[in-house]
Each structure stands twice: as C-alpha cells, then as structure tokens.
Amino acid sequence: MTILQGSCHCGATKFEVQEAPESVTCCTCSYCSKRGSLWAYYTPDQFRLTTPVEDVATYQWNSRLIKHHFCATCGCSTYCESPDFRSGAPDFEHPRLSVNARLFDDFDLDAVPLETIDGKNLW
Ligand SMILES: [Zn+2]
C-alpha cells in the first residue's frame, strides 16, 4: 500500500495517508475560498497524524460541524474533520477527513483532476 506523507511549512504538523488522491477538490465556500486549500478526502482509518496533536489548532464557524485544523505555529491549513456531507445532510455515522492536498510532499497536484464544488451556495 502506498503511503503519502504531508507536512505543514514549519514541520510541526506531519501526517500520512494510505493512498494518493485520484482528484482534488476546490471548494468555493467563504472559508475555503479565503484559505486556498485543495481537498483530498479520506476515512479516518486512512489518515494518521504523526506529530503531537497539541501542535494542531482548530477553527470552527457557522454550524460548527467541521473542525478546520491548522498548524498552531506556521498557520498552514492542514486537515478537517467532519461528518460525511455527500448525501446532502451530515452523516455522523461516517466521519470524513479532508486533507489539504497542497501539503503532500512529493505529489504532483497537476497530475490529478481538479473538481470544484459550489460550497458558496451549498452551505
Ligand atoms: Zn507549521
């Protein structure tokens, strides 16, 4: 199994995922459009934080259903924890990890399709 590693700018947050994304997602919601992250989605068992969770800071807004994590030192957007929203309603039985694909080390973002979701109008 291929393991892909990612890290924030300063290295205080490092993580690994079980496989490279087949596509990455650009979301147009008010948060993502300012943040500029590109998301790759995983189940919690496919993601592992390899640095102390104490170095992770968290931002929540609006419904507070999503934990937007970022590095407490350098501020890079790192990953989010949320229920699965793909059915339209939050599915708390199926938590999802959104990883900022820009932080993957040695991964060519231009090699995978970029999908845009209309978060600006969806939530
Ligand atoms: Zn950092």
Side-chain angles (χ1 to χ4, degrees):
M1 195 172 285
T2 316
I3 290 187
L4 190 61
Q5 293 179 321
S7 56
C8 67
H9 187 256
C10 75
T13 302
K14 291 183 178 157
F15 55 84
E16 56 191 32
V17 295
Q18 296 287 326
E19 58 192 21
E22 289 178 358
S23 65
V24 293
T25 297
C26 170
C27 172
T28 64
C29 85
S30 60
Y31 177 77
C32 293
S33 61
K34 287 183 185 281
R35 258 302 196 182
S37 308
L38 294 175
W39 303 113
Y41 300 105
Y42 295 93
T43 54
D45 62 307
Q46 293 175 305
F47 173 88
R48 194 166 75 89
L49 185 69
T50 57
T51 48
V53 73
E54 292 74 34
D55 294 328
V56 173
T58 303
Y59 174 62
Q60 290 179 282
W61 61 283
N62 197 6
S63 62
R64 303 180 68 85
L65 290 177
I66 306 177
K67 291 178 182 162
H68 296 278
H69 298 303
F70 60 97
C71 173
T73 302
C74 72
C76 279
S77 166
T78 49
Y79 64 101
C80 301
E81 292 178 84
S82 71
D84 192 338
F85 283 102
R86 281 176 293 183
S87 68
D91 178 356
F92 295 99
E93 301 287 304
H94 297 95
R96 217 151 69 123
L97 260 292
S98 312
V99 174
N100 183 4
R102 291 193 183 277
L103 302 190
F104 286 137
D105 301 317
D106 304 316
F107 179 72
D108 183 5
L109 277 174
D110 294 330
V112 294
L114 175 67
E115 294 174 8
T116 299
I117 51 172
D118 190 17
K120 183 178 179 182
N121 295 307
L122 288 171
W123 53 81

